[in-house]
Every structure is written in structure tokens, then in C-alpha cells.
Amino acid sequence: MTTQEAAAELDRNDPLAAARKWFLVPPGTVYLDGNSLGALSAGVPERIRRVVAEQWGEHLIGGWSEDGWWDAPLRVGDRIGRLLGAAPGQTVAGDSTSVQLFNSLVAAARLRPGRDVLLMDAAGFPTDRYLAASVARLLGLELREAPMPEFADALADCGERLAVATASAVDFRTGELWDLAGLTEATHRAGGVVVWDVSHAVGAVPLAVDRDGIDFAVGCGYKFLSGGPGAPAFGYAARRHHDHLDQPLTGWNGHADPFAMTPDYRPAEGIGRYRIGTPAVLSLLALDAALDVFDGIDLRRLRAKSLSLSRFFIACVDEHLAGRGFELVTPREDERRGSQLTLGHPEAGRLMAAMIERGFTGDVRPPDLLRFGLNGLYLSHAEILATVHALRSLT
Ligand SMILES: *Cc1c(COP(=O)(O)O)cnc(C)c1O
């Protein structure tokens, strides 16, 4: 049933309905692009104003200690770590996903000297693919790629040669969620180290990096974490690797004694060595403020809401968009969906432009995919129904 009454009933029973007011979504906008740039958390503007006026303005350089700027990458890292299912002391926030990925891929490969294959996800996000290719060239590895449905077989095919496998937890085009635990185990069985990009999962899909034995994970701060445009990314490295971590980006923030200003690099103990250079403090503290939203949130409940939205979306597509040229690209099985819905349509570009004009913000991925990010913190079932009605009116 996909009537307005059905949507209203689902929304009445939504335990996360109150979270909507924690975000400043402009009136008249149905925001379906939170998988690309999360909406602004209500607490962020005031926090940033205070950081600028009171911390920077009044404490000046003293802010590094007085206001905890120096420790912020590890403190914010631990807050993200909780969303990853990581115990404290294994996650650092900073730089971009691209930088974190480069750093992790090289560090991962250096854990497997003598092995020479880097296996990557054939449908990976462009920057991930470009970086994997560059790392392979830099380290003299053979780059192989495999579609995700064949990834486990491809891992086994590498035999003794597999050094590193890297893939995205959720396909950025289709919204398909992969089996992180199973593929991590398959990587280990083949003797390799895994680097997961969880950009489209963190803050929407409960993860269990420690429990699943994941070696490395990287991801974005500006998607479901809503940290703001270009928000710092993060890198997780499992504790068992810390003593052997040989990261390529040996910046002074990762030094054991950075203020000794010694001529030679000596890495800090623990995850501290995963720091690179001076953090972008304003952005980092905007992300920190945005993460407050997650403090009171049970991620399993958020996941249930997201699945309820996507299930309802699929039912609406089936009932209201049949025969109008749409193809459901995202899997129908709950456990195979991340937190977005993707529809194929030959006129995707025209449709999305018209949708945006009507206040429904999603996006398009070439050549023909319409993407709708489903953030359970600020979207309702009524908005999903309205979205589908708008799509129907345009076709
Ligand atoms: C969004 C996204 C990125 C973006 O990387 P940046 O360095 O922030 O530009 C990288 N990888 C994946 C899988 C993404 O979804």
C-alpha cells in the first residue's frame, strides 16, 4: 500500500521522526542528496561561530592546546570510529578520502612484501580506481579488477600473489551493499590485506570493522555524516597493524615527538602515526559538531528507518511508475541495499533537472541513473511518496 495514509502511518510510528528538527533543510525542499552532501545540522553554525570568534579570535595560537585542536583528529576519529564499530584509538580524521585511500593502500601493500597483486572493485568510485592504479604503478604491483559479484573468486584466483584488495562497501551508482565480513574473510584466506572504502555506508549502515577483522577502512565526512562541503575524511587501521604500519605520507603530525622538530621521521605509537599534516581545524570542528547528532542514535534503528524508506520507495515505484521507462537498479533484498535508491531511465538528465526545479534534490550519474539518497534522520515516507508522484507527473 502506497497511499498518503500509509505514508502518514509509517511516519507516525517512526521512532526517529524527532531527528528531523536537528537539521536545517530549507522549506519546500525534499533533500535526497544526503549521500553526496549531507544536510546542515542545526548545531553547526553556532559552533563554528564560537570556534572562530572565541577560540581562534581570543586564544589565537593557544587554541592548539587550550581548545584541543591538536588532539582533534584523534578525538573526532574516535567519534567516527564508534559508527564504524571500531574501538577507540584506531581511527584518525583528516584530509580527503582520496588522500586517506592512497595512504592506506600503500601502507597495506607494505604489510605484504613479496606479494604483487592489487585487486580492485571494477565499479569503484573514480578516485578509488585512479589511486589504485597509481599505487600499483608506484609499487610495481599488478593491478587486477573484478566486478563485485565475482570478487571472492578473483581473490582466490590471485593465489599466493594477492597483496591488497580494495573495494567500496556500497556501490555509489547502484546503492548495492556488499558483504564486508565475507569478502574480508576471503581476502584473508588468500593471504591479503583489505582496504574498504565505506564512504557511502558510514553514518547510514551499521558497520563492524573490528568484529569483521577489517584491516583498513577509509571514508568521507561530508556524505551521511553531514560534516559539510569538503569535510575531513577518516582512516581506520586495525590495532594489530599499528606497530608495522609504514605509511607513505610521513607528515610531521604523525611523528613520535613532533615538537622536537628532529631532522628524521620517527612514527608515533598507535594510530597517532596515521596523522599527516596540520589539520583543517575549522572543517574538523564543523564535522565534530555535526557528529553530535549521532550521539543519541542507535545505528540499528537508523538502519531500520533507512530500509523502511527504501522499501516504501520500491513499493511506490512498482505501483506508480510501472510502464513509464523506469528500471529499479538497487537490489530489492533489504540486506543488499545501502541507503540510496537508484532508478534507471533513458531521460534521467531531463527528469532530474525538472525534479530539482520542483524542490526534489537528487542527482544523476551518467549515462542514465537517477540517484536518491535516503537519510533516515531527516526524510519521511510522505516525502518519498511525493517524490514518486513528482516523477510520475514528469513521465
Ligand atoms: C565520495 C567518494 C569519494 C570522494 O573522495 P574525495 O577525496 O572526498 O573527493 C571517494 N570514494 C568513494 C567510494 C566515494 O563515495
Side-chain angles (χ1 to χ4, degrees):
M1 284 295 281
T2 58
T3 58
Q4 278 178 1
E5 294 69 43
E9 177 69 15
L10 287 166
D11 289 335
R12 254 194 310 280
N13 295 323
D14 170 12
L16 290 177
R20 168 64 175 248
K21 64 176 184 307
W22 303 340
F23 292 89
L24 302 174
V25 181
T29 298
V30 174
Y31 194 59
L32 297 149
D33 223 346
N35 55 333
S36 229
L37 176 69
L40 173 61
S41 296
V44 170
E46 173 59 12
R47 180 82 67 86
I48 287 305
R49 191 198 63 73
R50 282 183 21 220
V51 168
V52 171
E54 294 168 16
Q55 298 187 2
W56 181 15
E58 292 173 23
H59 305 154
L60 293 165
I61 200 165
W64 286 105
S65 51
E66 215 174 315
D67 297 306
W69 297 345
W70 182 264
D71 295 324
L74 301 181
R75 193 173 52 75
V76 175
D78 279 343
R79 298 189 78 187
I80 296 169
R82 185 183 79 79
L83 305 176
L84 299 174
Q90 303 177 96
T91 311
V92 61
D95 301 283
S96 66
T97 304
S98 300
V99 170
Q100 293 287 355
L101 185 66
F102 173 80
N103 209 38
S104 296
L105 286 173
V106 175
R110 286 176 173 171
L111 290 171
R112 289 294 180 272
R115 289 172 166 251
D116 69 345
V117 171
L118 169 56
L119 179 69
M120 73 172 177
D121 163 9
F125 190 89
T127 206
D128 298 47
R129 292 180 49 87
Y130 306 159
L131 283 160
S134 175
V135 166
R137 197 151 50 86
L138 187 71
L139 301 182
L141 305 175
E142 179 184 319
L143 182 67
R144 295 190 189 173
E145 55 184 280
M148 288 308 283
E150 294 157 29
F151 211 73
D153 290 339
L155 284 166
D157 287 347
C158 293
E160 303 279 287
R161 293 181 57 196
L162 180 73
V164 178
T166 187
S168 288
V170 175
D171 185 303
F172 76 102
R173 290 189 182 86
T174 66
E176 178 153 11
L177 170 66
W178 302 104
D179 173 13
L180 272 65
L183 291 172
T184 297
E185 202 196 321
T187 303
H188 292 164
R189 224 180 299 124
V193 174
V194 75
V195 180
W196 282 106
D197 189 326
V198 299
S199 288
H200 279 273
V202 65
V205 178
L207 297 164
V209 293
D210 283 350
R211 191 199 66 200
D212 292 345
I214 287 171
D215 301 287
F216 296 89
V218 302
C220 285
Y222 51 78
K223 291 174 177 167
F224 289 100
L225 297 184
S226 295
F234 59 87
Y236 159 91
R239 196 181 310 283
R240 64 183 177 281
H241 294 314
H242 289 180
D243 289 347
H244 323 283
L245 267 192
D246 183 7
Q247 65 162 337
L249 297 174
T250 47
W252 75 294
N253 280 217
H255 194 280
D257 189 4
F259 292 98
M261 307 269 169
T262 63
D264 299 317
Y265 184 76
R266 186 162 52 83
E269 292 292 314
I271 196 65
R273 74 176 55 183
Y274 232 45
R275 302 181 61 162
I276 304 172
T278 306
V281 172
L282 298 182
S283 299
L284 193 54
L285 296 184
L287 171 60
D288 190 26
L291 291 171
D292 287 354
V293 161
F294 290 93
D295 281 348
I297 293 288
D298 177 345
L299 280 179
R300 284 164 308 180
R301 189 165 270 191
L302 179 55
R303 172 68 172 160
K305 167 75 180 289
S306 157
L307 287 175
S308 176
L309 290 171
S310 55
R311 223 180 285 127
F312 186 68
F313 204 146
I314 291 171
C316 289
V317 169
D318 288 343
E319 287 191 29
H320 305 297
L321 299 181
R324 291 168 186 268
F326 291 96
E327 177 207 351
L328 178 67
V329 172
T330 309
R332 286 177 181 272
E333 303 91 318
D334 280 359
E335 66 281 4
R336 290 178 58 206
R337 285 201 306 280
S339 202
Q340 86 183 40
L341 205 85
T342 303
L343 298 176
H345 194 285
E347 294 180 85
R350 172 187 79 81
L351 286 176
M352 190 51 78
M355 288 293 283
I356 290 169
E357 220 164 79
R358 284 161 175 74
F360 298 88
T361 309
D363 61 26
V364 167
R365 287 295 174 266
D368 61 352
L369 299 179
L370 295 148
R371 291 196 318 170
F372 302 95
L374 303 175
N375 190 322
L377 295 172
Y378 48 77
L379 280 170
S380 66
H381 299 83
E383 288 176 310
I384 299 301
L385 182 59
T387 300
V388 172
H389 281 163
L391 285 170
R392 182 181 166 92
S393 75
L394 292 167
T395 46

